[in-house]
Amino acid sequence: MRTVPGRTDHVVVVGAGLSGLAATLHLLGSGRRVTVVERGDRPGGRAGRTRLGGYLLDTGPTVLTMPHLADEAFAAVGDSLAGRVDLVELHPAYRARFADGSGLDVHTDGEAMAEEVRAFAGPREAEGYRRLRQWLRSLYEAQMRRFIDTNFDSPFQLLHRDLARLAALRGFGRLDAQIGRYIKDPRLRRVFSFQSLYAGVPPARALAAYAVIAYMDTVAGVYFPKGGMHALPEAMADAAQDAGAEFRYGSEVSGLRLSGGRVTAVRLAGSPDLACDAAVLTPDLPVVYRLLGRTPRRPVRLTHSPSAVILHAGTRRTWPQLGHHTISFGHAWERTFDEITRTGQLMSDPSLLVSRPTAHDPALAPEGRHLHYVLAPCPNTAVGPSAAAWGELAPRYRDSLVQELEKRGLDGFGDAIEEEQLITPADWTAQGHAAGTPFSAAHTFAQTGPFRPRNLVAGIDNAVLAGCGTTPGVGVPTVLISGKLAAARITGF
């Protein structure tokens, strides 16, 4: 593994999101002095927090899987996730609702889910689910250490017996087709394949290897931190500060001072330069490249994931059919994926994620009130409407979302809203996210593993990248790993 040469005593981490905080904890555990520079007034990055009236909103991810990866970061400084965050394992992990009026609860316990599938679709599908579950576990075991939790210096690192194992598991087939080898019911196939959209690729075109995300969601367990998802970065920042890290909030990085192929200082707007021996850079790739003053050459331009519209709604009531997380599938499937990834249209028959964090933490809303988070995938601004166009489009799309929710059984949803906030690709663009998407570069084959933008910067010896734009990629688990991998580039282990 290539590492940063020379002195690395003092590391400046740019960005206090999950990747930056993970890198900070791992660096501290290896004896480095760390200063974290964050433009916001608190940690979190994409996993931020905002107050809307008496409601506390998570501005980023709402689903937490693989919490042991966060615990690894805490353990680096002799701390623990359990000592800092009150985690609730969700049972069920999700509630799935389909356009034909049917539904099922998605359990991560194998026996409970097999019984759920048996009642929903019959014994043959239940047996298929058992075999699918084993396949998902095998895929995870074949990929995690060799292809996900690793620093790549060359594509030749792929040439390992685990690659043959992954091929034998049909990991290079198409996701939807491979799921179909185990279960035939099209509704169940959606439950175990929609996760590929997290990686920015429709199930019919995604590599089957991305079923590893379904493993995380449907086998390994789904968790909720009391206090909301933002409780995780808050706890990581507290642990880092207790371990000696210095945090500079409200500090905008304007550039980097370079000398002899090394970053010698981080330039801060309105403040003296901050000298360093190495830097970990976690903003989105266009921001990082601007700071570095260069753009890496690639054979083809990066393709970005679809974006999302999010409606945060504080309501006077809730609806008993909702779980903590509810996936509401529309009639259409492949057509709507084409709309948001190829033709640039808004989903004509959307599949939606509705999260209700007050199901497990009523303190996130005023007494007797409820908080709902509605996520609707949409095209990014490179494929669909521009950021400017969303100014006019947003109110109409908000109304259509509310109408769709009411058609799907959330009667009176619009009238029940007392506080709301709508986030569109225009807002993601304003935050510096390329193509107006918070999900960064898509996980096409040419943008995965050693072919994804690397976390080392050609021509600069001591700058390392972390976050969803670099390896291993998008999602809370992988972003936490990216912070650990960035730290390893500096520490050597």
Side-chain angles (χ1 to χ4, degrees):
M1 178 183 69
R2 282 187 55 196
T3 58
V4 169
R7 288 187 56 180
T8 59
D9 297 343
H10 178 216
V11 183
V12 172
V13 175
V14 178
L18 290 172
S19 65
L21 293 169
T24 296
L25 289 166
H26 285 287
L27 288 165
L28 291 167
S30 297
R32 270 54 177 188
R33 181 165 69 92
V34 182
T35 303
V36 183
V37 180
E38 167 57 46
R39 68 179 178 180
D41 60 1
R42 62 197 309 158
R46 284 173 170 83
R49 161 64 52 81
T50 191
R51 182 178 289 274
L52 187 64
Y55 297 88
L56 295 175
L57 313 180
D58 281 322
T59 60
T62 62
V63 179
L64 178 62
T65 61
M66 312 295 282
H68 71 274
L69 297 171
D71 195 46
E72 284 184 8
F74 284 102
V77 296
D79 212 318
S80 71
L81 175 64
R84 295 276 184 174
V85 180
D86 183 6
L87 280 187
V88 178
E89 186 170 6
L90 299 183
H91 300 289
Y94 294 96
R95 183 161 286 166
R97 291 292 177 262
F98 302 97
D100 64 2
S102 63
L104 81 161
D105 288 343
V106 180
H107 299 278
T108 52
D109 176 79
E111 288 306 311
M113 188 58 186
E115 186 55 41
E116 185 81 13
V117 171
R118 181 180 292 106
F120 179 77
R124 180 171 296 182
E125 293 293 79
E127 181 55 34
Y129 162 74
R130 291 182 189 278
R131 293 187 291 112
L132 171 65
R133 183 182 178 91
Q134 183 54 52
W135 179 69
L136 293 173
R137 186 180 299 279
S138 297
L139 272 180
Y140 172 78
E141 292 170 350
Q143 294 184 76
M144 188 59 179
R145 291 300 171 192
R146 181 58 54 180
F147 304 117
I148 298 174
D149 191 2
T150 192
N151 273 312
F152 283 99
D153 292 324
S154 165
F156 292 110
Q157 283 177 245
L158 291 172
L159 302 179
H160 186 274
R161 63 179 179 272
D162 283 341
L163 183 66
R165 184 183 176 195
L166 185 57
L169 289 166
R170 306 191 185 196
F172 298 107
R174 295 302 172 192
L175 174 62
D176 187 60
Q178 296 308 312
I179 296 290
R181 292 177 60 233
Y182 300 97
I183 50 179
K184 306 302 180 186
D185 188 296
R187 298 165 300 174
L188 288 176
R189 288 171 66 168
R190 294 183 184 190
V191 168
F192 294 99
S193 63
F194 81 90
Q195 295 89 350
S196 72
L197 200 60
Y198 297 160
V201 187
R205 303 203 306 267
L207 290 178
Y210 287 120
V212 70
I213 310 174
Y215 168 84
M216 296 176 185
D217 268 9
T218 67
V219 177
V222 175
Y223 297 81
F224 173 71
K226 287 291 186 70
M229 284 290 290
H230 184 68
L232 177 58
E234 287 276 11
M236 294 175 75
D238 289 345
Q241 194 158 1
D242 289 349
E246 177 188 356
F247 283 81
R248 296 194 180 186
Y249 294 111
S251 296
E252 184 80 30
V253 175
S254 59
L256 303 171
R257 192 202 308 160
L258 302 173
S259 177
R262 292 181 71 87
V263 177
T264 59
V266 173
R267 298 188 185 278
L268 304 178
S271 299
D273 292 356
L274 183 57
C276 63
D277 299 313
V280 175
L281 309 175
T282 72
D284 208 18
L285 291 177
V287 177
V288 167
Y289 296 151
R290 176 175 55 77
L291 294 176
L292 292 168
R294 65 187 64 192
T295 301
R297 295 176 182 173
R298 292 180 60 87
V300 294
R301 294 178 62 184
L302 284 174
T303 299
H304 287 84
S305 297
S307 187
V309 171
I310 296 172
L311 174 62
H312 297 280
T315 62
R316 301 178 188 87
R317 57 169 291 200
T318 190
W319 291 262
Q321 64 267 42
L322 292 176
H324 187 111
H325 297 299
T326 302
I327 308 166
S328 175
F329 292 102
H331 282 285
W333 188 240
E334 292 186 9
R335 184 187 80 231
T336 53
F337 283 127
D338 278 343
E339 287 169 348
I340 63 172
T341 63
R342 287 180 166 171
T343 65
Q345 299 168 276
L346 298 176
M347 277 188 168
S348 56
D349 184 16
S351 291
L352 307 171
L353 171 66
V354 181
S355 291
R356 187 174 53 130
T358 43
H360 285 90
D361 192 351
L364 295 172
E367 186 174 357
R369 299 298 195 263
H370 305 270
L371 187 56
H372 299 86
Y373 164 109
V374 182
L375 183 149
C378 71
N380 64 43
T381 57
V383 175
S386 67
W390 274 100
E392 180 181 348
L393 180 59
R396 298 200 308 272
Y397 191 63
R398 176 267 181 203
D399 291 345
S400 71
L401 269 182
V402 170
Q403 291 168 11
E404 191 64 38
L405 290 167
E406 291 181 341
K407 281 170 52 181
R408 297 185 187 188
L410 304 189
D411 55 290
F413 187 85
D415 289 341
I417 297 174
E418 63 178 14
E419 298 281 359
E420 66 179 277
Q421 183 180 74
L422 189 74
I423 307 297
T424 74
D427 298 289
W428 305 125
T429 299
Q431 292 176 34
H433 300 320
T437 173
F439 306 117
S440 195
H443 284 260
T444 60
F445 180 79
Q447 296 177 178
T448 296
F451 310 114
R452 198 165 180 81
R454 297 177 61 201
N455 60 3
L456 290 179
V457 181
I460 301 179
D461 289 341
N462 63 338
V464 187
L465 308 190
C468 60
T470 185
T471 52
V474 178
V476 172
T478 39
V479 162
L480 291 169
I481 291 172
S482 82
K484 180 175 74 168
L485 296 179
R489 291 290 194 185
I490 293 169
T491 65
F493 55 89

